[in-house]
């Protein structure tokens, strides 16, 4: 037996033992699901075992040959999809058996794993040759058609990339910046900036994968030469734009259009793979995929409406706090910039409240290298950048465009205005690191630093900056490496220069940028655990203010390795017990991301609650100290026991995952504060009568009703 075979066999023996033990206690189906939970939770956790070892071990388990068990299992499809994610982990013979006796399970596993998109997969190529019957013929035909739709765009993209391959990174960014302004002209077709910048992200990341080290050896001479050749002829008056620039602009326009079309078709593939309502067909003249009902679409729309209402809520909270801090009567900056600066301050306060109350942030953010960035200053600096770019770049550009009807002429006038004022008004801005730190220092003025702090400015810039050389090296080693989007870290380091794109910073959602900078890109930060604990403590404080006695981080006595572990929150008030499992993450924007969240984080949370519930029930019976802390004299007085998953994300709010309700932390916070009325836009609050959630006073039984019925959203979503 090979080394890999030995490790896979160790995993197999673990899963077989789990199956046998649990079958005696329950039944074959639940025993199989228990094995799958172990696999999905990366168990056995013995050092040296890989995902491939576990996948191979689970795939070799005998219960896969029991079709009735496989079809009855809640997790067999998910497990099989993870197995298919590891080439060669399961035999073709096993897949042939499943194709014959549990075909729907296998088809969904292929969809979840996106196996059909891996053209070099020996597993897929071998399997499709052996599959028989009309249902499999249609399924394979649909998979082929979905991929076939990508081919013309792949050819166009490849051709355009080859035509533009001679351009350096900075030259590539120059052209992209010019074309980006076409999205900002008055009357341009309405589109989501996030979707447009997603296309730019793809183009830039593909460029980073092929950059040479010389792309990052940027000095004043090389920068000047690049701009003189590729940017100046476009934005400064000349008899004609050079043929080279015109050809490059045309190639980039083609590249952007083809990349956008390809990504739209990729979204269709994700719809096919991750939407449970998606069905497929092969009928001439009809779409190959369609939704059986509009359930999924309506759910997505509800999430969007909730997100908009939450945007209103936090902006209203920011305005209220702005007034409380005594800033309403203070002029901020020059008179001409006061309104925009006030908007920046309100938004920064809004984001500060959100990050502290929902994500457990403190006053400072620890950064790699020992620097600490002050949270509010980091948020305020980006908001001030946004209003600055909006007023100094985007608004003048739009005014110039109205009078000229030409993007290049409008950019030319904007750039000339900058030259007259001694400022850079090019489609992108740049400065060396020292100059950028110096300029940002003025935005760090506070009581602690009345003249600003250079160290604080340096920390803020580090927090918001992507080092493109580091990203390039990382992408070459791991092509699928998650990288910051244009807006998550909107400062870009190339050599000693710091670049920004006014067309991104002026329009981006800075709250989402901050959350995802910390939670998606910075998911492995050292401060993450302390933030998670603060989320629990701050939620406990809210519940305590409502009237609950709360025990945070209760640790039951350990009995064996399968103990439930620490219980996040146990709450009691007037015979109502709440058991809460807190989960935190980032703000998701795609079907795939939401599906992964459901099947990973929330699945684990449900499993934890399933284990913790009997542990807590037992502890309430035998642990007198716990009962005392919770104010329970006699367990017979407990009338209601609820176990909820409280999630920092909104995407799965009100869903039931494996029998447990998911409620977003923002929803619960609004309920506990009874602030449903400020989910409305500020100008509509006086005109709309919103009933209080607790008109007869705070009541734990009423809290359960409000949460479980989703009453906070009634009439709003």
């Amino acid at each position: 037996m090979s080394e890999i075979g030995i490790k896979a066999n160790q995993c197999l023996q673990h899963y077989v033992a789990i199956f046998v033990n649990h079958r005696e206690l329950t039944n074959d189906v639940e025993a199989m699901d228990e094995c799958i939970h172990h696999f999905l939770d990366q168990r056995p956790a013995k050092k040296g075992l890989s995902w491939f070892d576990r996948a191979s071990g689970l795939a070799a388990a005998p219960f896969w040959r029991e079709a009735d068990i496989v079809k009855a299992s809640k997790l067999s499809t998910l497990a099989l999809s993870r197995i298919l994610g590891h080439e060669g982990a399961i035999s073709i013979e096993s897949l042939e058996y499943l194709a014959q006796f549990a075909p729907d399970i296998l088809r969904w596993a292929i969809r979840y794993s996106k196996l059909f998109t891996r053209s070099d997969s020996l597993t897929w190529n071998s399997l499709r040759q052996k599959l028989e019957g009309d249902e499999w013929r249609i399924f394979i035909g649909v998979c082929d058609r979905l991929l076939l739709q990508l081919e013309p765009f792949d050819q166009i993209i490849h051709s355009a990339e080859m035509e533009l391959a001679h351009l350096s990174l900075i030259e590539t960014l120059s052209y992209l910046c010019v074309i980006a302004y076409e999205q900002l002209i008055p009357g341009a077709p309405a589109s989501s900036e996030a979707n447009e910048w997603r296309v730019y992200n793809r183009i830039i990341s593909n460029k980073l994968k092929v950059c040479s080290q010389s792309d990052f050896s940027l000095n004043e001479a090389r920068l000047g030469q690049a701009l003189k050749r590729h940017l100046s002829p476009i934005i400064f008056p000349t008899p004609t734009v050079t043929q080279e620039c015109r050809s490059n602009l045309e190639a980039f326009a083609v590249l952007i259009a083809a990349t956008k079309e390809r990504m739209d078709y990729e979204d269709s593939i994700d719809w096919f793979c991750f939407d449970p309502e998606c069905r497929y067909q092969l009928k001439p003249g009809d779409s190959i995929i369609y939704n059986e009902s509009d359930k999924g679409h309506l759910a997505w729309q509800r999430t969007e409406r909730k997100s908009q209402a939450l945007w209103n809520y936090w902006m209203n909270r920011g305005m209220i706090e702005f007034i409380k801090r005594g800033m309403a009567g203070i002029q901020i900056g020059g008179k001409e910039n006061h309104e925009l600066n006030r908007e920046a301050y309100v938004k920064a306060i809004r984001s500060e409240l959100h990050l502290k109350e929902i994500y457990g942030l403190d006053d400072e953010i620890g950064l790699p290298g020992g620097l600490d960035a002050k949270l509010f200053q980091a948020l305020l600096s980006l908001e001030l950048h946004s209003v600055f770019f909006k007023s100094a770049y985007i608004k003048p550009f739009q005014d110039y465009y109205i009078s000229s009807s030409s993007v290049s002429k409008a950019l030319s006038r904007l750039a000339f205005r900058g030259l007259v004022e001694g400022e850079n008004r090019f489609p992108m801005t740049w400065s060396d690191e020292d100059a950028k730190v110096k300029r940002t220092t003025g935005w760090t003025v506070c009581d602690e630093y009345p003249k600003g702090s250079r160290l604080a400015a340096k920390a803020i810039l580090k927090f918001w900056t992507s080092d493109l050389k580091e990203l390039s090296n990382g992408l070459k080693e791991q092509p699928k490496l998650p990288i910051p989007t244009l807006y998550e870290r909107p400062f870009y380091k190339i050599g000693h220069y710091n670049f920004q794109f006014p067309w991104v910073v002026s329009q981006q959602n800075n709250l989402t940028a901050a959350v995802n900078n910390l939670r998606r890109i910075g998911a492995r930060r050292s401060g993450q655990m302390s933030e998670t604990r603060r989320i629990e403590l701050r939620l406990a404080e809210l519940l305590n203010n409502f009237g609950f006695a709360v025990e945070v981080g209760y640790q039951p006595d350990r009995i064996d390795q399968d103990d439930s572990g620490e219980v996040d929150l146990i709450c009691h008030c007037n015979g109502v017990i709440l058991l809460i499992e807190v989960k935190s993450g980032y703000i998701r924007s795609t079907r795939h991301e939401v599906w992964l969240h459901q099947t990973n984080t929330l699945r684990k949370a449900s499993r934890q609650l399933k284990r913790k519930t009997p542990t807590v029930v037992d502890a309430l019976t035998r642990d007198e100290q716990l009962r005392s802390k919770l104010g329970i004299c006699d367990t017979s007085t407990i009338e209601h026991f609820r176990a909820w998953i409280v999630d920092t994300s909104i995407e799965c709010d009100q869903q039931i995952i494996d029998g447990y309700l998911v409620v977003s932390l923002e929803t619960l916070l609004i309920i506990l504060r009874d602030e449903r009325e400020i989910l409305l836009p500020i100008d509509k609050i006086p005109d709309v009568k919103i009933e209080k959630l607790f008109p007869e006073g705070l009541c734990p039984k009423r809290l359960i009703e409000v949460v479980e019925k989703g009453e906070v959203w009634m009439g709003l979503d």
Side-chain angles (χ1 to χ4, degrees), residues 364-375 377-379 381 433 436-437 440-441 444 449 453-465 489 491 498 517:
E364 293 189 343
I365 308 163
L367 303 175
L371 283 176
D372 288 325
K374 291 189 176 298
L375 176 63
Q377 288 184 345
L379 297 169
S381 71
E433 188 173 349
K436 190 67 177 176
V437 169
T440 305
T441 298
T444 65
Y449 306 118
S453 165
R454 180 178 174 83
L455 192 62
K458 192 171 183 179
I460 288 168
L461 288 175
K462 185 176 180 64
F463 178 68
W464 290 118
T465 297
R489 289 186 181 170
F491 301 171
N498 189 296
N517 186 355

Side-chain angles (χ1 to χ4, degrees), residues 218-290:
L218 198 61
N219 55 34
E220 187 174 352
R222 294 190 66 187
L223 176 60
Q225 183 181 19
L227 298 176
K228 182 179 180 180
R229 181 174 176 180
H230 295 281
L231 191 56
S232 294
I234 301 171
I235 65 173
F236 288 124
T238 56
T240 58
V241 176
T242 66
Q243 183 58 47
E244 180 185 19
C245 288
R246 183 179 292 107
S247 297
N248 289 337
L249 281 172
E250 290 172 355
F252 272 110
V254 169
L255 177 60
I256 290 168
T259 302
K260 185 178 187 303
E261 290 288 343
R262 191 194 200 281
M263 294 179 76
D264 286 344
Y265 279 112
E266 288 174 12
D267 290 341
S268 294
I269 291 175
D270 279 354
W271 169 25
F272 173 69
C273 291
F274 305 112
D275 189 335
E277 296 294 311
C278 183
R279 301 295 179 263
Y280 57 88
Q281 61 187 2
L282 276 181
K283 294 181 179 179
D286 289 335
S287 175
I288 57 174
I289 56 176
Y290 62 95

Side-chain angles (χ1 to χ4, degrees), residues 339-349 379-380 383-384 387:
E339 286 300 321
L340 287 174
N341 288 339
R342 186 180 75 156
E343 177 188 341
Y345 267 81
V346 170
K347 286 184 174 180
I349 292 171
L379 297 169
L380 179 60
E383 295 294 352
L384 289 171
V387 298

Side-chain angles (χ1 to χ4, degrees), residues 599-664:
T599 57
N600 284 321
T601 304
L602 299 182
R603 177 195 58 79
K604 289 179 183 178
S606 293
R607 178 167 165 79
Q608 288 168 324
L609 284 179
K610 186 176 181 179
R611 294 203 309 266
K612 291 175 182 180
T613 297
T615 299
V616 170
V617 170
D618 180 63
L620 291 172
T621 302
R622 59 179 176 74
D623 190 335
E624 185 177 346
Q625 186 177 12
L626 176 63
R627 289 199 305 275
S628 176
K629 288 180 179 179
L630 294 174
I632 300 173
C633 298
D634 186 347
T635 55
S636 64
T637 62
I638 298 173
E639 299 179 38
H640 301 278
F641 189 110
R642 292 292 192 277
W644 296 334
I645 301 166
V646 173
D647 183 23
T648 56
S649 301
I650 189 66
E651 295 89 2
C652 298
D653 183 54
Q654 294 301 123
Q655 289 188 20
I656 304 294
I657 305 290
D658 295 336
Y660 293 95
L661 177 70
V662 179
V663 55
S664 84

